Amino acid sequence: MNAATGAPLVRIRGLEKSYGAFKVLHGIDLDVDRGEVVTLIGPSGSGKSTMLRCINRLEIFQAGRVEVDGVVIGYRDAVGRDGPELRELSQAEIERQRADIGMVFQNFNLFPHMTVLQNITEAPVSVRRVPRAAAVENARALLNRVGLSDKEKAYPRELSGGQQQRVAIARALAMKPKLMLFDEPTSALDPELVGEVLGVMRDLALEGMTMLVVTHEWGFARELADRVAFFDQGRIVEIGSPDQVFSAPVNERTRAFLSKVL
Amino acid sequence: MSAPAVTGPLRPRRHPWRAVIGVIAVLLVANLLYKIANNQGFQWDVVARYFTAPIILRGLIGTIWLTIATVVLGFFFGTLLAVARLSQNPVLQTLSWGYVWFFRSVPLLVLILFTFNIGYLVPDIEIGLPFMEPWVSVPTNSVITPLGAGLLALTLHEAAYAAEIVRGGILGVDQGQFEAASALGISRRRTMMRIVIPQAMRSIIPSAGNQLIGMLKGTSMVSVIAVGDLLYSAQTVYNRTFQVVPLLMVATLWYVVVTTLMSWGQFYVERYFARGATRQMALTPLQRVRTWLRSPPAEPARGEART
């Protein structure tokens, strides 16, 4: 890792992604500093979730470059016949890179046949080779942190949506990630359960975790985001502090969107 | 009791015709059973004599052994075929599809006769690289005994069906499970083994139980190539004694007994793989009896109350 302190943790350049003939991302550029919280907002289908999923290579993109902590994700810089090129990494190498990037999904995606504790210890034990006892100890500490110490033996189906999402956050944190990606973490929740998940995310942000959050929770974006990026039709059309984007949007489409939802 | 009697007690409707139809049905069945039990043609004394005869028991063990071996091998290769079909390699996908297409097309009986006569098509079994001199070569007929031929045919057949069952099970697992495992850096193999297959098992088990029970009786087809299974053993006896019906009854009763045991086992396996998937575990028959004895009107047995 050749991470120079002060360099951005995430650096995205010229990211382009298409589904067949349909172009979803038109050359995204974005830098995220260490400890920074960036929320991605915009109409559905604007490409914000897709961009998030390109960062840990759940989506394969057609052009551009994603770096996390100074390392290109999914590729290796090389010199080909026609000059510099990016050569795809092996599956094992990509898996190793993903292990350092936590992700939280809209639908939680907990493993339903495993208890809460098994959900959290599975990846540390099988990917990081952490001894089971240490993994369990860490998992309990994480459960305590998200306020679910009494649920370690429960199966996901026995928990409320808010509790499941908090377990999912603990599961991601168990890998001690450098970066956390949140893909609409509260969209599948009943309104009264949103607060408990946002609370955990708030704690995480205040502890200095670098976070990229796709969300419709303007309150969260306003309070905790260092910057807000507004997506429209596969482009970041406006990016700035929450105050600037929410109160004094420069872009016409941002203004139109915010006037509809605020 | 203490509620105000504003509306009066709620009285469920009575259904006298249910009782009448029930009694008639029971009488019909009882009559049928009586006739079977008293039909001299079944020669129940002969059935009783041969039910535990050594030759029949040897055949029974042969059948059970062949069934289990076939289903285990069939599901092993079937799982590989399913994974190949769902892989990203188009060649493997096509080969897997072709295998399933072919072996589902060929009648099992024909397949058994083919494998039995395989020595005619392939005189020697050779191990080596394609298109090169083999390292090892043995005459086929020394390897493909009737039992080997039967096992081979049944396994080839079973793998094709198992492949589809396993594939269906894997497809039934939510895409989000693959994504969550990927995002955690869990390898594909581990994802399959630890995350996907255990969840797929929920839908695989009922079909697999069906296959197992189907195969139990499917193995009787190997009797045509003189493999000593249950049916062949019964045939051996009646070819000598001409007591055809009672000996077929002996075999039938054993098939029923083993099927019953397998269905019972399936219940518990299904229950095991349902953990985490249902809020309320299915009650075992014993638990059901106990609950009923404790409080006849339905009340969920000692399941944790969940909100």
Side-chain angles (χ1 to χ4, degrees), chain A residues 53 56 58 91 95 98-99 101 103 105 109-114 122-123 126-127 155 157-158 171-172 175, chain B residues 174 176-177 179-188 190 194-196 198-199 275-279 306-307:
Chain A
R53 292 159 58 85
N56 65 352
L58 281 187
Q91 181 68 19
E95 281 157 9
R98 281 175 175 154
I101 303 172
M103 186 160 198
F105 299 87
N109 292 343
L110 292 178
F111 306 132
H113 59 303
M114 296 182 179
E122 172 63 27
S126 76
V127 179
Y155 285 99
R157 199 97 14 134
E158 298 163 15
R171 178 174 71 173
M175 296 298 279
Chain B
D174 181 38
Q177 295 289 308
E179 290 188 353
S182 287
L184 287 164
I186 300 174
S187 69
R188 282 182 185 164
R190 177 103 182 165
R194 289 278 298 168
I195 314 290
V196 177
Q199 292 183 60
R275 72 197 189 286
T278 48
R279 279 159 188 256
R306 284 162 202 149
T307 48

